Amino acid sequence: MAAKTLNDLFVETLKDIYYAEKQILKALPKMARAAQSEEGKAGFLKHRDETEGQIERLVQVFEIAGKPARGKTCEAIQGIIAEGEEIMEEFKGSPALDAGLISAAQAVEHYEIARYGTLIVWAKQLGLKDAVPLLQASLAEEEATDKKLTQLAQTSANVKATKAA
């Protein structure tokens, strides 16, 4: 059996984030429906549109790597999404719901940030220079979304959740 290479790891991680993005695409409308604030609803729907673009960019990265765009079950994202669903259930109708949704969304963002950051470094190492700007564009969107979520939590959701106590 041939030794696994960085290229193999790159492709496996690409499959992981591709699967994750597709799962996130399914989860975002549910989160938008559950959110109580209009700002939260709009934010989740906007990120759904961004996620569609991120999936399209990943398909291009697969092409650059000479591989078919295929996902591989990502246990991590399944767990993070399941935690978000628990929050939606347990805090439904509660003033803390939006704070919980933001927390769940940030766990997703941090996972994506870690994956995209790693893929960028590996793409550079592997000489996949055309893949780098595609991955960087997705990373920049994930980081911007994380900052928006932090701002929404600090200026609105967390305040509402605290006042209810």
Side-chain angles (χ1 to χ4, degrees):
M1 187 165 168
K4 297 281 188 175
T5 66
L6 184 62
N7 189 65
D8 297 321
L9 195 53
F10 178 82
V11 171
E12 289 303 304
T13 305
L14 199 55
K15 289 177 183 179
D16 176 277
I17 193 66
Y18 184 73
Y19 175 90
E21 291 290 15
K22 291 222 169 211
Q23 296 307 304
I24 292 160
L25 191 61
K26 290 180 195 172
L28 283 165
K30 294 177 195 171
M31 294 177 82
R33 283 192 299 276
Q36 295 173 327
S37 77
E38 288 307 312
E39 199 176 6
K41 287 179 190 297
F44 288 130
L45 292 176
K46 180 181 186 292
H47 195 55
R48 180 199 60 202
D49 295 342
E50 284 179 351
T51 301
E52 288 173 346
Q54 291 162 0
I55 290 169
E56 289 171 20
R57 284 193 290 271
L58 287 170
V59 169
Q60 293 175 49
V61 174
F62 274 109
E63 288 171 9
I64 291 164
K67 300 290 181 186
R70 266 196 358 251
K72 172 180 111 174
T73 302
C74 172
E75 308 268 341
I77 208 65
Q78 287 181 325
I80 292 170
I81 290 172
E83 285 180 3
E85 288 170 353
E86 271 181 43
I87 288 170
M88 284 187 259
E89 227 174 85
E90 292 176 23
F91 288 86
K92 186 177 182 174
S94 145
L97 175 62
D98 283 358
L101 287 173
I102 290 168
S103 168
Q106 283 192 294
V108 168
E109 294 309 311
H110 294 181
Y111 181 80
E112 292 172 303
I113 288 166
R115 285 292 185 232
Y116 282 115
T118 296
L119 286 168
I120 290 165
V121 171
W122 289 345
K124 288 176 183 175
Q125 186 77 31
L126 294 166
L128 300 171
K129 62 181 184 339
D130 293 340
V132 173
L134 296 166
L135 296 165
Q136 286 173 329
S138 294
L139 176 61
E141 287 175 354
E142 303 298 6
E143 290 172 336
T145 297
D146 183 51
K147 285 181 181 149
K148 288 177 200 163
L149 288 166
T150 296
Q151 185 179 13
L152 184 59
Q154 291 174 339
T155 59
S156 177
N158 294 352
V159 175
K160 287 178 186 168
T162 304
K163 288 182 180 173

